[in-house]
Amino acid sequence: MNEERLNNYENCIRLFERAASRLGLDEEMRLLLKTPFREIRVRVPVRMDDGSTRIFVGYRVQHNGARGPLKGGIRYHPDVDPDEVRALAMLMTWKTALVDIPFGGAKGGIACDPLTMSRGELERLTRKFTSRIDIVLGINRDIPAPDVNTNAQIMAWIMDEYSSRHGYTPGIVTGKPVDLGGSLGREEATGRGVSIVTRLACREFGLDLARATVAIQGFGNVGSYAARFLHQAGARVVAVGDLRGGVYDSRGLDIDRLLVYARQQGSVAGFPGARAISNPEIFRLPCDILIPAALGGVLTKANAGEVEAKMLVEAANAPTSSIGDAIFQDRGVVVVPDILANAGGVTVSYFEWSQNIQQYRWEEARVNEELERILTRAYESVSTLAKEERASLRDAAYMLAVQKVVEAERLRGS
Ligand code: NAD
């Protein structure tokens, strides 16, 4: 098992324990909150295009449902393993509590390399996985969503497979195509949320967003929309990187052209007129705001000291190790934590689920206004507590989130 991934889980536990100590939680409550409610591991046989059958392994971890149905994305990636999924499920519990939407936390994943699989293979994989975890899903039990390498099409297959057993159930999954009951604004929501909290953090910490320079690792759903919205807000996005490489232009990249280029080429690498940069280089570039928006565990003891940015906005889940975090704190780098920075996605997933239950569609303007209101409220409560407690934004966010889950557990009689 990959050390870095294992550390992601240990990091999440460490962050939780720090909040638990500040909140004075006893051992019993700590154990209750740390232990996932349910974990399942399934064998997923898939007929490949060449006629062979491959066995994949999939997971669904339901961390805590005290505050409502379990909610969290499904990831397709070769590094998916039980600890990684456990860590991500726990983060979802804190995230939904922090933005105060009535969900618990879960996560799922399949260890596979979707970039090497055909559309037909991905569809069969998704349908088989859905049938295997069907037993723990439900509109009031557990509602999946997209994550790394999964998208609206994959959500549509999940919805269709589930509906074939239970009757038409659009609310079983969020992040669906709009034509199948997806919410307007959901695809953009995580990136939009990243730009909203970045703007709020800039205002609080005296950075002028309209003059700021930004570097973004990851140009998928989250990174590309974050780039677009920050660019629209006037920020200069000077560097972007993805799995195949990165590009840098100190004058600011032409984001509209880059979005078209990346869609056509499948990567930002080779974007004309910009300097090519390597993947690790993106973290060392001169810029004001650094936004990891790819995988976890990328900012560690090894590179946190080299980061030149004044602010780190964690669009990815768990991008910073606990030692990396301590280095940022020592160096005065403002860290906007993942459970706040990327909560826009699950917030609009909540709107989507509500719309599905009511069979009613919201206008996009309403989605965006409510998203802004919820994230602003969450940001302000984190910032206020951080000042009162002389804590980092991360510790304050964890304290608020953990306390909400504790209250729900106590009220329900745990
Ligand atoms: P995605 O699959 O759409 O995009 C991932 C991007 O990261 C791609 O550009 C890919 O090339 C890049 N990438 C992958 N491995 C890389 C590497 N080793 N080095 C550099 N770049 C690499 O995924 P996404 O949905 O945008 O998710 C990105 C992050 O945001 C993840 O950590 C995810 O958990 C988190 N997140 C996503 C959502 C959501 O709504 N999709 C919500 C909250 C948090």
Side-chain angles (χ1 to χ4, degrees):
M1 195 175 293
N2 180 326
E3 267 307 295
E4 199 76 82
R5 301 272 167 266
L6 191 67
N7 283 338
N8 273 355
Y9 182 56
E10 290 171 345
N11 282 328
C12 286
I13 295 286
R14 236 174 266 161
L15 295 172
F16 161 76
E17 289 287 1
R18 218 154 69 193
S21 298
R22 281 186 181 256
L23 292 168
L25 299 187
D26 62 30
E27 268 312 312
E28 266 177 33
M29 183 55 82
R30 288 181 193 221
L31 196 58
L32 180 76
L33 296 184
K34 274 192 292 193
T35 314
F37 166 70
R38 175 156 52 197
E39 302 187 356
I40 64 171
R41 178 183 190 278
V42 291
R43 186 184 60 194
V44 191
V46 176
R47 177 65 50 123
M48 306 305 279
D49 291 346
D50 65 5
S52 66
T53 297
R54 273 188 65 192
I55 310 287
F56 296 89
V57 178
Y59 307 89
R60 186 73 179 166
V61 174
Q62 300 177 328
H63 175 253
N64 186 297
R67 298 185 59 266
L70 297 139
K71 188 88 191 83
I74 293 190
R75 177 175 291 198
Y76 289 178
H77 196 277
D79 288 347
V80 164
D81 68 33
D83 268 327
E84 178 78 348
V85 183
R86 239 170 243 143
L88 294 167
M90 190 188 232
L91 281 177
M92 288 306 298
T93 301
W94 312 141
K95 199 180 299 180
T96 51
L98 180 63
V99 288
D100 204 11
I101 56 177
F103 286 136
K107 203 83 180 189
I110 304 179
C112 64
D113 186 358
L115 305 182
T116 63
M117 294 172 71
S118 71
R119 182 183 163 94
E121 289 168 343
L122 281 173
E123 176 172 355
R124 293 192 289 279
L125 177 75
T126 303
R127 287 187 183 277
K128 187 64 85 179
F129 178 60
T130 306
S131 74
R132 294 291 196 250
I133 64 167
D134 175 284
I135 192 163
V136 299
L137 300 182
I139 197 162
N140 291 314
R141 290 179 189 278
D142 186 343
I143 305 128
D147 192 71
V148 174
N149 292 327
T150 56
N151 55 22
Q153 176 59 73
I154 288 175
M155 299 306 113
W157 291 326
I158 294 177
M159 194 274 255
D160 185 66
E161 188 66 28
Y162 187 86
S163 294
S164 70
R165 286 147 215 267
H166 302 272
Y168 179 62
T169 320
I172 191 58
V173 75
T174 58
K176 296 176 292 293
V178 172
D179 288 339
L180 281 182
S183 179
L184 295 166
R186 172 60 184 91
E187 190 179 301
E188 305 90 322
T190 311
R192 185 185 289 279
V194 169
S195 80
I196 293 170
V197 297
T198 304
R199 194 186 67 228
L200 294 167
C202 282
R203 195 188 304 158
E204 175 171 0
F205 293 97
L207 252 177
D208 181 359
L209 182 59
R211 289 160 173 262
T213 52
V214 181
I216 304 177
Q217 186 203 35
F219 207 63
N221 172 281
V222 180
S224 67
Y225 279 111
R228 181 183 301 190
F229 291 122
L230 288 166
H231 176 66
Q232 283 168 6
R236 204 155 24 112
V237 181
V238 292
V240 184
D242 63 26
L243 191 55
R244 302 218 319 245
V247 286
Y248 174 74
D249 186 340
S250 61
R251 298 163 302 177
L253 297 159
D254 181 337
I255 295 301
D256 297 328
R257 272 186 48 229
L258 183 59
L259 285 163
V260 175
Y261 177 87
R263 202 175 315 121
Q264 285 167 351
Q265 305 293 322
S267 170
V268 298
F271 181 55
R275 175 163 79 79
I277 51 169
S278 71
N279 243 321
E281 209 180 331
I282 198 154
F283 298 123
R284 296 193 297 264
L285 292 172
C287 66
D288 298 312
I289 303 169
L290 177 62
I291 305 186
L295 298 178
V298 293
L299 290 159
T300 63
K301 189 170 139 186
N303 60 359
E306 296 172 358
V307 167
E308 287 198 29
K310 303 176 186 74
M311 183 183 288
L312 174 73
V313 181
E314 294 183 335
N317 281 309
T320 312
S321 74
S322 54
I323 301 181
D325 197 41
I327 295 171
F328 289 134
Q329 225 167 321
D330 278 354
R331 298 182 51 223
V333 177
V334 174
V335 177
V336 184
D338 47 8
I339 59 171
L340 177 60
N342 68 35
V346 74
T347 302
V348 176
S349 276
Y350 164 52
F351 301 159
E352 181 172 327
W353 179 76
S354 310
Q355 292 172 69
N356 293 152
I357 285 172
Q358 297 174 40
Q359 297 283 1
Y360 184 76
R361 170 152 295 161
W362 294 9
E363 297 292 330
E364 189 168 355
R366 176 173 174 196
V367 170
N368 294 340
E369 273 160 33
E370 297 229 7
L371 172 64
E372 174 112 23
R373 184 177 59 74
I374 287 181
L375 289 184
T376 304
R377 184 184 63 194
Y379 184 90
E380 282 167 359
S381 54
V382 169
S383 149
T384 304
L385 187 67
K387 287 187 198 107
E388 278 168 19
E389 292 283 326
R390 295 174 173 271
S392 65
L393 293 177
R394 190 190 311 278
D395 283 345
Y398 264 73
M399 286 172 74
L400 286 165
V402 171
Q403 185 59 39
K404 282 221 177 72
V405 183
V406 168
E407 275 156 25
E409 287 283 6
R410 288 201 173 126
L411 286 166
R412 292 182 69 161
S414 300

